[in-house]
Amino acid sequence: MFIPCHNLFQRELELLESRNLFRRQKVIFSSNNMLVEVDGREYINFSSNNYLGLAGSDILKKAASQALERYGVGSGASRLMSGTFSIHRELEEAISKFKKEEDAIIFTSGYMANIGVIPALVGRGDAVIVDRLNHASIIDGARMSQARIFVYPHCNTIALENVLKRTACFSKRLVVTDTLFSMDGDIAPLPQILELCEKYRSILMVDEAHATGIFGRRGSGLVEEFGLSGKIDVVMGTMSKALGTFGGYVAGSRIIIEYLRQRVRTFIYTTSLPLPLAASCIKAIEYIENNGEERESFWKRIEYVRSEFLKMGYDLLNSKSQIIPVVIGPVDKAMEIERYLFEQGIFALAIRPPTVPKDSSRFRITISSSHREEDIQKLLHVFREIKRRFF
Ligand SMILES: *Cc1c(COP(=O)(O)O)cnc(C)c1O
């Protein structure tokens, strides 16, 4: 029977709608760091990864506009053609110093880094071993590599060791984990994972997307916080979160990075990062390295907010960071609460399956150092009220 494709996809859309899983974009008209305007009304944004408020900062605006004046918008070619500018190399140097690794390579996004780097490291006949809650870009990279994929339960090093024992027959194995998990806000047991990788001779790659700029004495991430700089084979991250700009990177040994330059398809076959972005990334790193005190007061804020939510009786999973998952459970209830939050002027989106497991729909509240104190108090007040009305 011939089914026109239009009908086929319309049915899929109706199905999503009927399960309350249809996603609508909230269109932001203007923004001033954590304040956003949607449909003529102002909201406090608690759904942004702009953790340090750098995205809207004068420092980055200035760096970007200077580079814009000097180079224009697009970079015009891929890195191995005429698309490598001195600013790209400067940024790669800044990242390798920041991360205390020998060298670094940048990509046009974190997603591009993960889907390019994993297939360059492993392929058919190899094994890639991932945490069940790793970011989608890691899973996609693993699939694209055509290596056999093994998934271990979230942060479970006993299960990881079992997988490593079972996969001894593979000549090459790659373990990949987020360091700070993007939906749960919890932290991978990196020292134990590294020890297992060394014991079973497996390559280790970590994704520092949400940890960079937040953790570590110099703000470079959880690898630094755990004292593991220089010990992990592949340290990946993005500049689109705390750094407030755009672009992905990998830092590591000279050899690994040179190998990636030769092999990663998402490095070779795409136009290089626009210079205004690259220039602002350099400034963002400089800012983070020089503003340790701001990070300290940010951490006090994170701990305060978390303890207030716990006092109210919310389940925050095992969150240890600026990402605070407030678990609601069923999708329908989460959607009702989402409407209430918006009525109250809080921009916080319900995170639903398939992004999170079934029946763990939640609000992924993210705290920024550029929220005003009154924004934080408003958030806590509204969630106190939610506890009374919806539970
Ligand atoms: C956001 C994110 C990415 C993708 O980074 P982009 O630069 O936004 O493409 C990769 N990994 C993790 C864990 C992320 O949270």
Side-chain angles (χ1 to χ4, degrees), residues 34-166:
M34 306 329 287
L35 294 178
V36 294
E37 187 192 327
V38 179
D39 291 333
R41 191 177 160 196
E42 192 173 79
Y43 297 86
I44 311 164
N45 192 352
F46 284 102
S47 282
S48 171
N49 301 321
N50 180 16
Y51 302 126
L52 301 175
L54 280 170
S57 70
D58 290 337
I59 306 168
L60 297 205
K61 278 188 206 167
K62 191 166 151 227
S65 65
Q66 278 174 351
L68 185 73
E69 281 305 317
R70 190 155 162 214
Y71 301 99
V73 181
S75 59
S78 60
R79 286 293 298 271
L80 301 186
M81 302 300 282
S82 66
T84 294
F85 287 69
S86 56
I87 291 196
H88 291 128
R89 288 299 303 147
E90 255 177 67
L91 173 55
E92 288 170 338
E93 249 167 62
I95 291 170
S96 62
K97 284 217 185 83
F98 185 42
K99 292 281 178 177
K100 286 211 167 33
E101 302 286 344
E102 287 176 7
D103 203 353
I105 175 174
I106 53 172
F107 298 87
T108 49
S109 75
Y111 189 94
M112 290 286 243
N114 277 337
I115 64 167
V117 168
I118 296 170
L121 296 172
V122 285
R124 204 187 294 276
D126 299 329
V128 54
I129 303 166
V130 295
D131 185 292
R132 197 174 68 83
L133 295 189
N134 274 350
H135 189 263
S137 56
I138 295 173
I139 305 305
D140 292 351
R143 286 181 181 147
M144 287 168 73
S145 76
Q146 304 194 53
R148 269 278 294 283
I149 301 177
F150 296 85
V151 182
Y152 61 92
H154 183 46
C155 289
N156 185 332
T157 48
I158 294 169
L160 171 59
E161 179 155 23
N162 285 333
V163 174
L164 285 164
K165 280 182 185 153
R166 274 199 291 130

Side-chain angles (χ1 to χ4, degrees), residues 301-313 316 324 380:
R301 164 172 283 183
I302 293 167
E303 269 144 28
Y304 166 72
V305 173
R306 190 170 56 210
S307 73
E308 289 298 307
F309 268 106
L310 286 172
K311 272 188 218 158
M312 292 180 228
L316 307 182
I324 305 184
L380 295 172

